[in-house]
Amino acid sequence: MPRLQSFQDEAPTVDVQISTTNRKFDLWHEDMHFAVRHGLGEPTQGACSVPLLSDELVPVCSPLDCSTPS
């Protein structure tokens, strides 16, 4: 995201639209050409999956304070 403006300056004819969603979609029947998804690397039928990075999920919690109303 920090470099998006410089990309738009260098390629002003490329229409970049960013949307965040967790719904399933079909690249073949929707007006999009590229998607970045978080998951186990199991692509939709007819698509390919290329890992961009690995991550580590870590649970985070804090002590419960019952004296403060929510």
Side-chain angles (χ1 to χ4, degrees):
M1 292 299 292
R3 296 185 289 182
L4 184 57
Q5 185 60 54
S6 62
F7 173 78
Q8 291 274 236
D9 293 342
E10 292 182 32
T13 61
V14 176
D15 183 24
V16 177
Q17 297 178 15
I18 298 173
S19 173
T20 59
T21 182
N22 61 356
R23 74 173 177 83
K24 292 188 176 195
F25 56 89
D26 184 346
L27 287 172
W28 299 107
H29 296 100
E30 296 193 39
D31 189 25
M32 71 175 81
H33 300 79
F34 176 76
V36 176
R37 306 295 286 190
H38 182 271
L40 299 175
E42 299 167 359
T44 305
Q45 184 176 358
C48 67
S49 174
V50 177
L52 296 177
L53 55 97
S54 63
D55 62 355
E56 181 178 341
L57 300 178
V58 179
V60 178
C61 60
S62 64
L64 180 62
D65 181 359
C66 296
S67 64
T68 306
S70 50

